[in-house]
């Protein structure tokens, strides 16, 4: 007798980099309970994934982080949204990039603060 395997009982395979590029946020796999399979976060200035939405979070998920400048008189913040399982940001999928201009670029390091909500 051959056992039956129902599609809902099989976990989806994690995405791989294909010739068409990395997955978009809407294409990220979820488990059978609609939970994320990857950490979602930002690339920090020391090239580390700063997790905002941890792996296993129920969808829809949200997160927030307070960002500051990493050097004095920084004119803008460069944000890169990533998803993946690795500590190093270079080993994860890039979901998007955004540049945020600071109103007071002459401010000291850590003084400009931006609240990011996902």
């Amino acid at each position: 007798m051959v056992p039956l395997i129902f599609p809902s009982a099989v976990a989806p395979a994690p995405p791989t980099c294909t010739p068409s590029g990395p997955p978009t946020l809407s294409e990220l796999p979820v488990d059978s309970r609609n939970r994320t399979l990857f950490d979602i976060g930002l690339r920090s200035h020391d090239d580390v994934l700063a997790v905002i939405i941890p792996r296993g979070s129920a969808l829809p998920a949200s997160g927030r982080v307070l960002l500051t400048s990493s050097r004095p008189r920084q004119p803008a913040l460069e944000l890169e949204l990533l998803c993946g399982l690795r500590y190093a940001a270079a080993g994860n999928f890039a979901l998007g990039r955004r540049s945020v201009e600071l109103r007071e670029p002459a401010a000291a390091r850590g003084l400009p603060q931006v609240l990011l909500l996902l």
Side-chain angles (χ1 to χ4, degrees):
M1 178 178 220
V2 178
L4 297 175
I5 299 176
F6 297 99
S8 62
V10 178
T16 58
C17 284
T18 60
S20 63
T24 62
L25 192 55
S26 62
E27 296 171 340
L28 289 177
V30 295
D31 65 8
S32 61
R33 295 179 300 172
N34 207 24
R35 296 182 184 274
T36 61
L37 295 178
F38 293 110
D39 293 326
I40 300 173
L42 294 173
R43 177 188 303 263
S44 66
H45 69 278
D46 53 352
D47 201 37
V48 172
L49 177 65
V51 176
I52 298 173
I53 300 174
R55 173 182 45 195
S57 296
L59 294 177
S62 64
R64 58 190 291 166
V65 63
L66 184 63
L67 304 170
T68 63
S69 59
S70 60
R71 60 182 195 269
R73 294 187 292 274
Q74 185 172 336
L77 294 175
E78 298 293 328
L79 306 176
E80 184 175 6
L81 187 64
L82 304 170
C83 73
L85 302 173
R86 305 198 188 278
Y87 177 74
N92 297 306
F93 298 110
L95 296 175
R97 287 193 170 132
R98 179 69 61 173
S99 178
V100 178
E101 299 290 326
L102 299 175
R103 289 185 184 172
E104 298 179 31
R109 174 182 177 211
L111 187 60
Q113 295 182 346
V114 176
L115 180 64
L116 176 68
L117 302 172
L118 289 179

